[in-house]
Amino acid sequence: MDRAKVDWIDPFIGVDGENNCLCGPYLPNSIVRLSPDTASPQLSHGYASSLPIIRFSHTHVSGTGGGGRYGNVGILPFTGDLRVPTEGYERENETASAGYYRVTLMPDDIRVELTSTARTGCHRYTFQPGVIPHVLIDASSVIQVDGDQPGETTGLCIGGYLEQASDCELVGRSDFRGGWGHDYPYSVYFSIQFQQPAKACVLVENGQFVQQRSIDGQDCRAVASFAGCGTVEIKVGISYVSIGKARESLRREASAEFDVIHQQARNRWEQKLDRITVEGGSERHTRLLYTSLTRLWCMPSDLGVDDEYDGWVSGVRQYTDIYALWDSVRNANSLLTLIDPELERGILNSLLDIAAHTGWLPDAWIAGHSAMIQGGSSADILLNEAKLKGLSGIDYEAALLQMRKNNEQYSPDTWMYGRHLDDYLSLGYVSTKVKKNSVSRHMEYAYQDWCIGRLAQSLGQPDIAERYYTSSEKLWNLWNEQQRCFAPKDSNGTWAEAFDPAVCLPDCWNDPYFYEGTSWQWSFHTHHDFAGLIERHGGTGAFVKHLDTFFEEGHYYSKETMLHIPYLYIYAGRPDRTADRVRECLNTYFQMARDGLGDNEDMGCQSAFYICSSIGLYPLMGQDIYFLVPPLFQSSIIQIGEEGATIPFTIEIIGSIGAGDGTKPRYIAEAIWNNTPLDRAWISHSELIIGGVLQLRLSEHATSWGSLNPPPSPLKEWYTSKQIRS
């Protein structure tokens, strides 16, 4: 590939609709995510292409739904009279690339350029000759989205202060609360440094100009005016701990010129993107893949070791904006384990450190607090998967104890951590006494029990493994044979009346039985016993028909809980149907457009689906296998393992892949793994990590390749081994 990988990135893919991706610059796992905010109504990332720009702020989430959070420390250039501008700007010539954003604000004709480092934002504003440049600094800015969960509030500034430290610097702290997951307050500290002295700087308190050097309260702003220059450059250091750390980040990271910092950002992204090299695909597919990789590394934010987190000192690297594991567990963490194990190890150790200090593994961790549990504890799945894949440097004995706690100890706050255990332990299922998402929680608990058992087995604790494998059988206690789906049951063992498995009421977030999906959709969530699901549908042929009906009736869409479903044909001996469905999903839900994704991006979840499916290697969460499908590229080279010591694993097509537009389904007719024929549509992690080449010969017609060797179904294997032992 002659072209630099960063030149394929299009930050505008997925910024609109419910995709909620950022178009502004950020670095891998950075604290600062600098991006434009637009006028109300705002989504969680603060941006919409159709609305005027009201500021450029330094903290954002990307790809999430839910209530508003961040959008803090806002800056807006303007001209004309000295005032606090309330009008937004229309835009011209808006463009973005790796580590860079540019727009012209109209009608003032101000060119805005943005770049960033891990903890600083860099602004360059170019004004027309003859005007007086002004810059509004809004220390109280926050994204405001109405909450969609009980008790959830929109973002709100609750206090802080702003001080003019010199003609070249403003410093302060802003306090906020509200947003998805929890309502605990958080603070952002900042140092705003002008590269040339301001001619004047006036503070604004509650909408009024005041002749003071400092102000405090819920509405702290300032207007800085400049003279004799057409270009104003501003650098902003952000910290969650202190002004001193914000200043230090500016000194350490942003002392160079704007263009140098921009080039450094490009170089950093090129280094990360080198983990996957593709050739022979269409422009659309290549652009989508490399853009998706930047979303994979957007969140969480790396706080360093005893650095940008002040909750405790432990010598462990901390992360924030884990937003949330319930999403990323589906595929993104598996991909990270493959191509960035350093990051995955860091996240898992951070989770264990949080559990050691708070008592519980979080499922989401935002601004120093656990956030809403959407199901069970997805960390249980990830820790088991990490052990199965041989990820070193993790205390798995401590992990097992924390995982068991989720099953064995009652949580004092099931909104934040732990499980609803009353009926799950005594009756063997989560009953309708749990008023929200009782059935989907039950299903997640059962799989997490299997993960606990599997980790116990890996650690040589057979009695614990046996106990939890047995507990994972509870999955089927809410299977309704008559309806052939999972269904709600009260604590007396009676099925809920008037239950419709195709509907969520009143909406998919607040349905009493299933979370973000219907029973038809959730009833494929039997990860440790897909064989049992196939049997309950009447065998492989009937299960294939059931899958076909599910897709043909429109029950599938690109939702995190459903992303594995196209791959389930492989368990029924029909990898050719998986090839059809995966190609349909890639063509339908992933476009080079501002609303080009099928749903919220969700912390790398949609991106990982695209990346893995397009290179033909898709992981199963919590286990150590990957499904094989026809790739969209002639060649894909995945650098597996630690940075500086990676091993290349290559997937290459024998012969032509055709036009490469992805419109014609193609099927695997033959696979050769390191010169040995491979007649199965899956491969293990232990096979991948030795590196080598997987060659695929494709056919335009469905073949029988891979039909006789389905992937392992763990609970069935345990049943079999148990029978042999007895």
Side-chain angles (χ1 to χ4, degrees):
M1 180 185 295
D2 297 330
R3 189 172 179 177
K5 294 181 176 69
V6 290
D7 290 333
W8 291 103
I9 296 170
D10 181 357
F12 289 112
I13 293 174
V15 297
D16 283 337
E18 294 293 329
N19 303 170
N20 297 350
C21 296
L22 297 178
C23 57
Y26 57 86
L27 290 185
N29 306 108
S30 57
I31 289 175
V32 167
R33 291 186 280 270
L34 175 58
S35 205
D37 297 332
T38 54
S40 296
Q42 291 180 317
L43 294 173
S44 62
H45 66 322
Y47 179 89
S49 296
S50 61
L51 296 174
I53 291 175
I54 60 172
R55 62 175 175 255
F56 304 94
S57 64
H58 294 77
T59 58
H60 291 88
V61 293
S62 180
T64 74
R69 189 186 299 276
Y70 300 140
N72 308 139
V73 191
I75 300 182
L76 181 69
F78 67 99
T79 63
D81 297 335
L82 183 66
R83 67 193 192 281
V84 178
T86 56
E87 70 276 13
Y89 280 107
E90 300 302 324
R91 73 200 78 181
E92 287 186 359
N93 305 317
E94 189 178 35
T95 186
S97 59
Y100 180 77
Y101 170 90
R102 186 183 71 218
V103 69
T104 301
L105 302 180
M106 301 301 291
D108 286 7
D109 200 11
I110 305 168
R111 187 175 70 183
V112 173
E113 297 172 273
L114 308 175
T115 190
S116 67
T117 71
R119 299 177 182 183
T120 76
C122 303
H123 306 238
R124 183 162 65 188
Y125 304 140
T126 303
F127 296 84
Q128 293 301 306
V131 304
I132 298 177
H134 304 296
V135 175
L136 172 68
I137 293 95
D138 186 354
S140 63
S141 66
V142 61
I143 290 168
Q144 296 185 311
V145 181
D146 290 337
D148 58 12
Q149 303 291 344
E152 183 173 322
T153 60
T154 190
L156 177 68
C157 182
I158 59 174
Y161 72 95
L162 180 62
E163 175 187 349
Q164 184 181 0
S166 72
D167 291 343
C168 292
E169 185 184 31
L170 290 165
V171 298
R173 185 198 75 240
S174 298
D175 305 321
F176 304 94
R177 73 183 313 146
W180 183 85
H182 68 67
D183 199 34
Y184 291 104
Y186 66 94
S187 297
V188 177
Y189 298 83
F190 54 87
S191 169
I192 301 170
Q193 297 183 5
F194 310 132
Q195 300 308 290
Q196 59 269 61
K199 178 183 179 182
C201 185
V202 185
L203 302 187
V204 185
E205 185 175 27
N206 298 320
Q208 302 297 316
F209 290 110
V210 295
Q211 298 300 317
Q212 300 171 195
R213 299 287 291 186
S214 67
I215 54 176
D216 59 79
Q218 295 174 266
D219 184 18
C220 295
R221 290 178 285 179
V223 175
S225 303
F226 301 86
C229 57
T231 300
V232 174
E233 294 192 22
I234 301 173
K235 296 177 179 178
V236 182
I238 296 294
S239 173
Y240 293 130
V241 173
S242 70
I243 291 171
K245 284 188 174 292
R247 283 171 163 162
E248 174 61 19
S249 291
L250 283 169
R251 185 200 63 78
R252 184 178 61 249
E253 299 179 4
S255 60
E257 297 295 323
F258 182 96
D259 292 328
V260 173
I261 294 172
H262 171 210
Q263 184 60 50
Q264 290 171 345
R266 281 178 54 88
N267 294 344
R268 178 62 178 142
W269 275 117
E270 187 73 14
Q271 179 188 29
K272 294 296 286 189
L273 298 180
D274 273 342
R275 292 298 178 100
I276 297 180
T277 300
V278 296
E279 295 181 350
S282 69
E283 178 178 351
R284 172 194 163 209
H285 294 146
T286 306
R287 193 172 292 281
L288 279 166
L289 181 133
Y290 285 117
T291 301
S292 296
L293 277 168
T294 66
R295 272 55 188 277
L296 178 73
W297 279 301
C298 181
M299 292 163 56
S301 297
D302 184 348
L303 300 179
V305 179
D306 299 330
D307 187 5
E308 277 293 337
Y309 179 62
D310 60 0
W312 54 76
V313 173
S314 63
V316 175
R317 183 172 297 276
Q318 302 293 337
Y319 294 83
T320 190
D321 298 334
I322 300 175
Y323 219 96
L325 296 179
W326 188 83
D327 300 288
S328 64
V329 67
R330 315 289 163 176
N331 48 30
N333 292 93
S334 301
L335 180 55
L336 289 175
T337 301
L338 194 64
I339 66 173
D340 196 351
E342 305 98 318
L343 175 58
E344 183 66 8
R345 178 188 299 112
I347 293 171
L348 294 180
N349 279 328
S350 176
L351 295 172
L352 289 173
D353 194 51
I354 291 166
H357 285 86
T358 67
W360 297 87
L361 283 166
D363 199 60
W365 183 257
I366 305 166
H369 291 276
S370 288
M372 188 188 85
I373 291 280
Q374 297 173 91
S377 171
S378 299
D380 296 354
I381 299 171
L382 295 179
L383 288 161
N384 173 60
E385 181 179 334
K387 177 62 174 174
L388 289 176
K389 293 180 176 178
L391 189 60
S392 61
I394 295 170
D395 186 344
Y396 289 107
E397 297 280 355
L400 180 60
L401 292 176
Q402 292 291 350
M403 292 159 66
R404 288 178 58 188
K405 185 174 183 178
N406 289 320
N407 176 281
E408 297 172 11
Q409 293 190 30
Y410 286 82
S411 168
D413 185 355
T414 52
W415 177 266
M416 292 294 186
Y417 33 72
R419 301 182 184 179
H420 296 269
L421 288 180
D422 286 337
D423 288 349
Y424 186 74
L425 293 181
S426 62
L427 301 177
Y429 59 90
V430 179
S431 77
T432 54
K433 284 199 305 188
V434 173
K435 298 303 181 184
K436 185 175 178 181
N437 321 133
S438 59
V439 184
S440 58
R441 289 181 193 274
H442 167 85
M443 298 177 72
E444 295 199 69
Y445 295 174
Y447 185 46
Q448 288 153 18
D449 281 351
W450 178 83
C451 290
I452 297 170
R454 187 63 183 86
L455 180 57
Q457 180 183 337
S458 299
L459 296 175
Q461 301 182 32
D463 293 342
I464 300 298
E466 186 87 3
R467 183 201 308 175
Y468 276 92
Y469 286 155
T470 300
S471 184
S472 75
E473 295 181 84
K474 294 175 182 176
L475 170 70
W476 299 109
N477 290 348
L478 288 183
W479 175 261
N480 187 311
E481 184 61 35
Q482 184 177 357
Q483 292 182 299
R484 290 202 173 180
C485 66
F486 289 89
K489 189 186 290 185
D490 67 22
S491 56
N492 295 318
T494 303
W495 296 110
E497 296 181 0
F499 166 66
D500 187 343
V503 174
C504 284
L505 293 173
D507 55 52
C508 67
W509 297 284
N510 297 293
D511 182 82
Y513 309 132
F514 293 91
Y515 186 65
E516 293 196 5
T518 67
S519 175
W520 286 146
Q521 295 158 348
W522 267 95
S523 291
F524 292 102
H525 202 277
T526 66
H527 288 68
H528 57 306
D529 198 13
F530 290 128
L533 183 64
I534 291 171
E535 291 171 3
R536 284 165 174 80
H537 278 285
T540 56
F543 184 67
V544 168
K545 290 181 180 178
H546 176 62
L547 278 169
D548 284 343
T549 300
F550 177 81
F551 282 97
E552 290 161 6
E553 290 185 351
H555 296 289
Y556 180 89
Y557 61 99
S558 196
K559 188 69 181 169
E560 61 269 64
T561 50
M562 289 182 268
L563 296 179
H564 69 290
I565 297 177
Y567 290 92
L568 297 187
Y569 286 99
I570 293 174
Y571 285 89
R574 293 297 303 272
D576 59 310
R577 299 297 290 138
T578 284
D580 289 332
R581 297 301 184 193
V582 169
R583 190 63 58 89
E584 289 170 9
C585 293
L586 294 176
N587 290 336
T588 301
Y589 299 110
F590 298 89
Q591 303 294 329
M592 286 200 309
R594 288 188 173 224
D595 59 350
L597 307 182
D599 195 60
N600 295 154
E601 200 279 335
D602 279 329
M603 209 170 89
C605 186
Q606 296 289 337
S607 295
F609 180 86
Y610 185 84
I611 295 163
C612 296
S613 297
S614 68
I615 64 176
L617 189 72
Y618 192 81
L620 180 64
M621 70 171 186
Q623 299 179 41
D624 59 350
I625 64 169
Y626 303 79
F627 303 114
L628 302 177
V629 290
L632 299 178
F633 303 99
Q634 190 79 41
S635 171
S636 303
I637 303 173
I638 303 103
Q639 299 294 335
I640 298 173
E642 310 282 341
E643 187 170 353
T646 58
I647 296 174
F649 170 73
T650 301
I651 302 173
E652 62 181 27
I653 304 302
I654 302 171
S656 173
I657 60 170
D661 60 5
T663 57
K664 182 180 289 187
R666 308 295 290 262
Y667 307 97
I668 298 175
E670 181 184 16
I672 301 173
W673 167 237
N674 284 344
N675 299 315
T676 301
L678 182 72
D679 190 23
R680 49 181 159 87
W682 58 276
I683 192 168
S684 70
H685 185 79
S686 61
E687 291 170 314
L688 283 187
I689 60 173
I690 65 173
V693 179
L694 176 64
Q695 295 177 301
L696 302 175
R697 184 172 63 82
L698 303 185
S699 168
E700 294 192 16
H701 305 286
T703 75
S704 61
W705 174 86
S707 61
L708 300 179
N709 296 293
S713 189
L715 202 54
K716 182 179 180 180
E717 291 188 345
W718 175 65
Y719 284 144
T720 302
S721 65
K722 186 177 180 181
Q723 291 169 353
I724 292 172
R725 292 196 308 271
S726 62

